[in-house]
């Protein structure tokens, strides 16, 4: 039964179940103690290789089940964590958790998979970010190529700073992806300037496939540009088979979305994708 699993209270998280805190100050106060009270958990969403129909990577998504108010959506609490600085501690927690699971899976003999972790601007730009990643990888003896760092264009505010952090990450051997691609305001020149490996096409573009010709032209252009630059492309928010058809026709390698699976607790992921 569900109760046999330790983290059963996270099992039924659904977007439509999330509550709203009465105010931000109260949310911040509760968020401050979320780690201590074991209210945070890691969920994983599989990324489908569209050509081979296999799953070799996942995205880590944070879940917060507050003891008083219930599930709170990341869209609500991540900005509060970012503004208050709590994102540093929470961000360290999630990287540690991902690496801890990687170690556990290694010891269980599971096949190696890559896990992508979302990194907020404040966390990315905090001094020693790359060194902390390195220390956590070493702590759990995780090969760097099994970790992916997802940043958004909003992290790339300072050219020299961004270049130096990304270069450190590259030397370390972790993958770097640009999340929500196509929604920021940056000049595309960063794509030639920085050592980036993966582009994640924002889900708003995917949602409009088969509804809008201009939108399809944009997706095609993103995919072909990525390939010409030697970057991997991941489509986010796939919900319909017609979207997969379109993406495959245009050689998009990977996709994630509710069509394949929602983000799920780690024990469910293990049963579905590792234990044969
Ligand atoms: P994101 O990184 O762009 O993550 C994708 C979001 O889309 C996730 O929402 C995911 O559950 C949702 N999603 C996946 N497939 C589909 C689909 O087919 N349809 C629709 N409509 N949505 C889909 P989630 O988990 O609520 O996270 C929202 C945002 O919060 C993330 O956007 C990310 O920016 C942030 N976030 C989540 N976890 C973390 C974390 O550990 N650290 C940081 N810094 N940010 C996080
Ligand atoms: Mg992401
Ligand atoms: Mg995204
Ligand atoms: Mg995002």
């Amino acid at each position: 039964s569900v109760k046999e699993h330790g983290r059963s209270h996270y099992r039924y998280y659904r977007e439509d179940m999330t509550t709203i805190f009465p105010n931000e100050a109260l949310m911040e106060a509760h968020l401050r103690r979320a780690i201590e009270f074991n209210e945070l958990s890691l969920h994983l969403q599989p990324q489908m290789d569209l050509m081979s129909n296999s799953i070799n990577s996942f995205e880590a998504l944070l879940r917060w089940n507050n003891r008083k108010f219930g599930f709170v959506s990341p869209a609500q609490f991540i900005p509060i964590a970012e503004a208050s600085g709590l994102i540093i501690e929470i961000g360290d927690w999630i990287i540690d958790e991902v690496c801890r699971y990687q170690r556990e899976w290694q010891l269980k003999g599971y096949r190696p998979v890559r896990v992508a972790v979302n990194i907020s601007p404040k966390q990315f730009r905090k001094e020693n970010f790359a060194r902390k990643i390195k220390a956590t990888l070493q702590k759990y003896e995780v090969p760097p190529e099994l970790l992916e760092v997802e940043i958004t264009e909003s992290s790339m505010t300072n050219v020299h700073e961004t270049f130096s952090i990304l270069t450190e990450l590259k030397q370390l051997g972790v993958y770097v992806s640009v999340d929500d691609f196509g929604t920021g305001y940056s000049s595309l020149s960063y794509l030639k300037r920085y050592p980036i490996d993966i582009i994640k096409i924002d889900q708003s573009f995917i949602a409009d496939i088969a509804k809008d010709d201009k939108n399809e032209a944009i997706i095609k252009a993103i995919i072909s540009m990525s390939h010409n630059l030697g970057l991997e492309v991941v489509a986010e928010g796939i919900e319909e088979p017609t979207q997969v058809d379109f993406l495959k026709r245009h050689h998009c390698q990977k996709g994630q979305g509710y069509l394949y699976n929602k983000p799920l607790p780690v024990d469910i992921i293990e049963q579905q994708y590792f234990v044969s």
Side-chain angles (χ1 to χ4, degrees):
S1 84
V2 167
K3 275 272 177 247
E4 285 160 19
H5 302 280
R7 290 158 199 249
S8 59
H9 52 299
Y10 295 115
R11 179 92 358 124
Y12 299 116
Y13 169 86
R14 294 196 319 267
E15 260 86 300
D16 60 348
M17 261 172 38
T18 58
T19 55
I20 295 173
F21 262 90
N23 62 68
E24 293 189 354
L26 188 62
M27 189 195 301
E28 187 186 318
H30 278 266
L31 194 54
R32 202 167 283 284
R33 310 195 66 181
I35 293 177
E36 185 189 333
F37 290 154
N38 270 314
E39 293 176 354
L40 297 183
S41 72
L42 170 70
H43 275 42
L44 295 171
Q45 184 175 39
Q47 297 183 326
M48 179 65 80
D49 185 312
L50 299 178
M51 304 305 155
S52 65
N53 267 314
S54 60
I55 285 158
N56 304 306
S57 53
F58 296 87
E59 177 175 2
L61 292 155
L62 195 55
R63 294 294 176 252
W64 178 25
N65 188 6
N66 178 252
R67 68 202 180 285
K68 185 147 177 240
F69 293 93
F71 285 107
V72 189
S73 157
Q76 285 174 41
F77 72 80
I78 294 290
I80 304 296
E82 177 78 8
S84 62
L86 287 169
I87 196 67
I88 302 299
E89 194 192 340
I90 291 172
D92 287 347
W93 182 86
I94 197 127
I95 292 167
D96 192 274
E97 191 77 349
V98 163
C99 292
R100 188 174 68 74
Y101 276 118
Q102 285 282 21
R103 178 64 179 159
E104 210 175 294
W105 297 339
Q106 251 178 49
L107 295 172
K108 287 179 176 173
Y110 293 168
R111 68 196 165 88
V113 294
R114 190 162 85 204
V115 179
V117 180
N118 290 284
I119 305 295
S120 293
K122 215 175 245 176
Q123 189 188 358
F124 179 74
R125 293 162 57 202
K126 171 98 179 166
E127 54 180 343
N128 294 339
F129 173 65
R131 247 175 292 167
K132 260 203 223 165
I133 297 250
K134 185 179 182 178
T136 311
L137 289 168
Q138 283 174 346
K139 174 179 170 192
Y140 295 105
E141 300 179 57
V142 176
E145 66 273 14
L146 297 186
L147 185 69
E148 177 180 322
V149 164
E150 282 192 14
I151 60 170
T152 55
E153 292 173 358
S154 53
S155 282
M156 306 177 187
T157 44
N158 180 299
V159 174
H160 294 289
E161 181 192 48
T162 307
F163 181 79
S164 109
I165 300 164
L166 290 176
T167 304
E168 271 186 272
L169 290 172
K170 190 83 213 171
Q171 283 165 355
L172 194 58
V174 301
Y175 283 84
V176 174
S177 54
V178 179
D179 201 0
D180 305 339
F181 184 83
T183 61
Y185 295 95
S186 311
S187 135
L188 286 180
S189 63
Y190 75 81
L191 292 175
K192 64 175 181 187
R193 193 184 291 135
Y194 301 142
I196 284 161
D197 305 291
I198 299 145
I199 278 177
K200 299 191 72 178
I201 307 174
D202 189 68
Q203 52 189 46
S204 59
F205 294 105
I206 308 307
D208 285 344
I209 288 176
K211 289 180 196 147
D212 179 346
D213 289 345
K214 286 183 183 170
N215 184 70
E216 292 188 0
I218 292 170
I219 298 176
K220 283 190 253 178
I222 295 175
I223 296 170
S224 87
M225 177 192 71
S226 302
H227 287 164
N228 290 330
L229 290 167
L231 306 173
E232 189 180 298
V233 205
V234 181
E236 286 194 279
I238 300 177
E239 296 184 358
E240 313 278 346
T242 50
Q243 295 165 345
V244 179
D245 295 340
F246 176 87
L247 292 164
K248 280 169 88 163
R249 228 177 315 124
H250 298 287
H251 309 290
C252 178
Q253 294 134 300
K254 269 189 179 181
Q256 58 185 100
Y258 297 166
L259 178 68
Y260 300 112
N261 243 327
K262 297 207 166 184
L264 294 167
V266 177
D267 55 344
I268 304 274
I269 289 286
E270 289 191 20
Q271 286 161 34
Q272 283 195 13
Y273 296 99
F274 295 101
V275 182
S276 42

